[in-house]
Every structure is written in C-alpha cells, then in structure tokens.
Amino acid sequence: QVQLQQSGPGLVRPSQTLSLTCAISGDSVSNNGATWNWIRQSPSRGLEWLGRTYYRKSRWLTDYAVSFRGRIIISPDTSRNLVSLHLNYVTPDDTAVYYCARDPPMFWSAFDFWGQGTKVTVSS
Amino acid sequence: QSALTQPASVSGSPGQSITISCTGTSSDVGYQNQVSWYQHFPGKVPKLIIYEVTNRPSGVSDRFSGSRSGNTASLTISGLQTEDEAHYYCCSYTTGSTLVFGGGTKVTVL
C-alpha cells in the first residue's frame, strides 16, 4: 500500500520560501512510470495543480503550471525516497492546503494516492 | 492555462441523477483520454472516482460514471444519496504537458 507522508511548516512569512517534503512508502520516487505531483486547495480557487517530477529514460523531468514558473522547484531525493516542493516569494494568496499526490503507471493523468495535506498560512 | 469550467453548484433529490459538466478546449479536455474526476469532502483528502474519462477505480460505486463529448467531459451521479454531498473536481492533461483542474462543483442533496 502506497503512503505519502508530508512534512513542513504551517506558517511562512511573505516573500519567503514555502518548503514541503513528501516521503514515499510502498513505491519508489524513481518508478519509471509514475509521476509525483504537488497540488493545493483553497476556498477561493479550489484544487490547483502546481507541478510534477518524474523519472524517464534515465533522467529526471519536471513540468510546472504556467502561473508558477519562475518561482517553483519540485525535486526528488532518491536517497530518502521523497519529493520536495519549494515555492519562492510567497504572498498571502499562496495560503492553502498543499498536497502531494501520485499519478501511477497504470493510469494516465490521475491521482490515486495523496498525502495527508499541509495547511500553509502566509502571514507576517 | 485557465481552469476548466464547471458549474459552481448542482443539486438533486435522493434517488435522482445529476450531471456535472467540465468544459475545456481542444488543448485539454478534447485532447486525449486523460480526464479524471475527484470527490472532496471538507477537511479530507480528495478521492479519485473516474480516470481516463470513463473508468472507475476499484472500490468506487458504479453510481458514478464519466463521459465526454468534444471539449466537454461530464460526471453523472445516479441514484443520488446524501453521502454524495461534496465538492467534485475534474482534471485534464494538456498539450503543454501540464494538468489543469476545474473550478469545482458543490453537490447538494435536497
């Protein structure tokens, strides 16, 4: 059974960097068929896809939503089997519940396992 | 990439069928068979209920069904039950190798 365990601070100051990790058990971040995604949810915008990382043909790839390009980094840590999210220059508009989620090899673009969610507030 | 368009709310009586639409473009919903649907209760983790437009994961009730016509995907809930009251989101892969969610639909059981 796949489990995703998120960790990271619940409060971030404006203009600082939001950093979260997602520890994977029951699967490998290097799974050559899965993608590892970050998604957030807020009352004003609902669910919002931020980006993903995945391993294909011996190299790591990332895709980011257009609106976050330039201030987002999603990266794998193969030694600890986890995925990290770094979102720079946050504003109160980035206040949301952040989730990591797996898109498995057997599906196309669907998230079958999710982390427990991390409520992040951006405030001074 | 703009969010896919969903109605803000849909309601129905117990036992009825309701349909939630998800409208995009030929660059996302109409592009490939990569549309999924999620059920989300407040304070809980979203749950996958439909993948690849029409498929249900194991364990999901057959009262949930998905379809697509052109650039609009739809989720139908048959035999509506009070436990179906939740938010529902569609999601699609795009030609830009990204994914995009719909704005979400609140389902109310009258």
Side-chain angles (χ1 to χ4, degrees):
Chain A
Q1 176 81 343
V2 175
Q3 290 188 329
L4 306 178
Q5 182 65 42
Q6 298 177 217
S7 59
L11 178 64
V12 182
R13 305 300 182 191
S15 81
Q16 299 301 303
T17 297
L18 181 161
S19 296
L20 299 174
T21 60
C22 174
I24 302 161
S25 59
D27 198 349
S28 169
V29 70
S30 304
N31 184 334
N32 205 356
T35 71
W36 304 94
N37 299 259
W38 285 96
I39 295 159
R40 71 183 186 182
Q41 192 273 333
S42 64
S44 59
R45 285 197 292 267
L47 291 175
E48 192 173 19
W49 182 81
L50 305 180
R52 64 183 180 176
T53 189
Y54 49 106
Y55 190 65
R56 296 290 185 274
K57 297 181 180 178
S58 303
R59 63 186 183 127
W60 287 96
L61 303 170
T62 54
D63 297 308
Y64 300 127
V66 171
S67 56
F68 295 99
R69 290 175 191 171
R71 70 180 187 112
I72 187 173
I73 296 174
I74 294 174
S75 57
D77 183 330
T78 56
S79 64
R80 293 190 292 164
N81 202 34
L82 58 78
V83 182
S84 297
L85 166 69
H86 298 285
L87 186 64
N88 300 317
Y89 311 114
V90 297
T91 71
D93 208 35
D94 293 310
T95 294
V97 177
Y98 286 76
Y99 296 98
C100 59
R102 184 185 80 156
D103 175 4
M106 68 286 289
F107 298 161
W108 286 102
S109 301
F111 310 113
D112 63 345
F113 286 99
W114 297 63
Q116 79 276 22
T118 301
K119 182 174 169 58
V120 178
T121 300
V122 179
S123 175
S124 55
Chain B
Q1 181 69 52
S2 300
L4 307 176
T5 301
Q6 296 182 232
S9 63
V10 173
S11 61
S13 300
Q16 284 186 328
S17 292
I18 61 170
T19 296
I20 302 167
S21 60
C22 170
T23 301
T25 69
S26 57
S27 296
D28 39 61
V29 173
Y31 174 50
Q32 291 182 343
N33 291 336
Q34 298 188 36
V35 177
S36 54
W37 289 89
Y38 301 85
Q39 179 187 59
H40 190 209
F41 296 102
K44 301 294 186 183
V45 175
K47 176 185 176 182
L48 175 67
I49 56 174
I50 295 288
Y51 67 96
E52 293 169 21
V53 179
T54 61
N55 298 319
R56 274 188 311 276
S58 174
V60 172
S61 171
D62 60 5
R63 298 187 298 104
F64 295 95
S65 61
S67 63
R68 181 182 60 187
S69 177
N71 298 331
T72 297
S74 298
L75 172 72
T76 297
I77 308 176
S78 305
L80 196 62
Q81 299 179 2
T82 55
E83 67 202 48
D84 300 329
E85 197 162 279
H87 283 87
Y88 292 83
Y89 294 89
C90 61
C91 180
S92 176
Y93 180 71
T94 81
T95 55
S97 194
T98 63
L99 288 102
V100 61
F101 281 95
T105 298
K106 180 174 170 55
V107 167
T108 301
V109 181
L110 302 172

